[in-house]
Amino acid sequence: MKKILGIFIISVVSFSTYSQEDAEMDSGDKNFVIKFCPTQIVAGELNFSYEQRIARIFSLELEVGPTISQFGLNFGNQRLWRGNDGLEIWQFDPIDAEAKSAVGFHVSLAPRFYPASDDNQLKGLYLSPVFKYRKYNYINEDQTGNIDDAKSNIDQMIFRFNLGFQFWPGDNNFSLDMYFGVGLGTYNIHGQYMDAYVDGQGNTQVGWTSYNDTGIRFNAATGIKFGFGM
């Protein structure tokens, strides 16, 4: 009985010592990171993300935030705002040049793989397939003020592969995440343009006419995220 009790006490002490050592070894583990990506402003996005470690070399990142149309340099915010240059607006420049900016949103989900990582630090080189939905809203205004404004939007579905590198300067709680990615994105423009028509009494009226324009485009993104995690 004394031998069994002695073995039990030794086992408890040994397990307690091992647990303390293991806790000390894991004290530097990173379980999550909250980030902001200022470079995505060029795409008309305010980009916030949350990365959660799932396993030693695997994590999941969620991005959310508002979009601001007619702001930035990408397809949804710049090229289509040039005006129709005297051509049919729905053939070349589907978005009315007089349309006003409005707020939309974006959301994406991206699993991350850290193939060279040998710890639980959420750091080093990573590969990440990105699944993203983005909506830009804008408002068509009648300059004469005779009819109500019309709402239009661009919907985008994006699939992209990101290659990046995340590290923690000075081994503290602040992170830097640099990435570059390429892929494809679909778009669906649901817009309005001003058109004249003849009503049942033979009078000429002016109103909004809807149109849709869809397609697929090459998609690329690069930037840097600043984060805080633990």
Side-chain angles (χ1 to χ4, degrees):
M1 184 65 182
K2 291 182 179 180
K3 290 182 179 180
I4 295 176
L5 182 59
I7 293 172
F8 176 77
I9 292 174
I10 292 173
S11 299
V12 170
V13 172
S14 299
F15 179 78
S16 176
T17 302
Y18 173 81
S19 298
Q20 291 177 357
E21 291 176 351
D22 187 63
E24 291 175 359
M25 291 175 62
D26 291 341
S27 62
D29 290 356
K30 304 298 184 185
N31 293 305
F32 71 89
V33 195
I34 299 172
K35 309 174 196 177
F36 173 65
C37 185
T39 52
Q40 276 301 103
I41 293 176
V42 75
E45 292 181 10
L46 293 179
N47 188 295
F48 302 92
S49 61
Y50 176 84
E51 181 182 1
Q52 174 67 52
R53 179 166 65 86
I54 305 300
R56 182 175 60 84
I57 63 170
F58 177 73
S59 70
L60 198 61
E61 184 175 60
L62 173 68
E63 286 186 359
V64 295
T67 60
I68 306 172
S69 59
Q70 209 173 5
F71 182 85
L73 301 176
N74 77 334
F75 163 73
N77 287 334
Q78 186 70 21
R79 190 186 70 81
L80 295 179
W81 298 88
R82 294 176 302 173
N84 59 14
D85 298 326
L87 302 173
E88 294 294 340
I89 195 168
W90 54 90
Q91 292 180 355
F92 294 91
D93 292 290
I95 298 176
D96 185 356
E98 301 299 326
K100 303 300 181 182
S101 177
V103 176
F105 72 94
H106 69 92
V107 60
S108 73
L109 192 63
R112 283 191 175 194
F113 303 91
Y114 293 85
S117 177
D118 58 356
D119 52 25
N120 299 315
Q121 295 289 324
L122 293 177
K123 71 177 183 180
L125 185 72
Y126 66 82
L127 301 172
S128 179
V130 179
F131 305 88
K132 185 168 190 171
Y133 173 76
R134 183 163 59 193
K135 177 187 282 289
Y136 297 104
N137 293 319
Y138 56 99
I139 299 172
N140 301 96
E141 292 184 328
D142 173 26
Q143 302 302 310
T144 66
N146 294 325
I147 60 176
D148 294 334
D149 297 340
K151 295 182 179 179
S152 302
N153 61 70
I154 302 175
D155 295 317
Q156 292 180 300
M157 293 293 297
I158 297 169
F159 176 71
R160 185 174 67 234
F161 273 102
N162 282 0
L163 174 67
F165 189 85
Q166 181 165 261
F167 62 100
W168 305 77
D171 294 326
N172 54 30
N173 292 330
F174 295 96
S175 71
L176 290 177
D177 180 356
M178 300 177 292
Y179 68 93
F180 171 77
V182 294
L184 293 175
T186 65
Y187 67 87
N188 182 3
I189 302 173
H190 177 71
Q192 312 282 339
Y193 66 92
M194 192 71 69
D195 195 20
Y197 64 94
V198 178
D199 62 18
Q201 286 73 41
N203 299 317
T204 301
Q205 304 289 344
V206 176
W208 296 111
T209 298
S210 299
Y211 66 88
N212 285 283
D213 183 26
T214 61
I216 300 176
R217 283 182 169 271
F218 174 77
N219 180 269
T222 186
I224 183 170
K225 299 180 181 181
F226 299 91
F228 174 84
M230 55 190 305

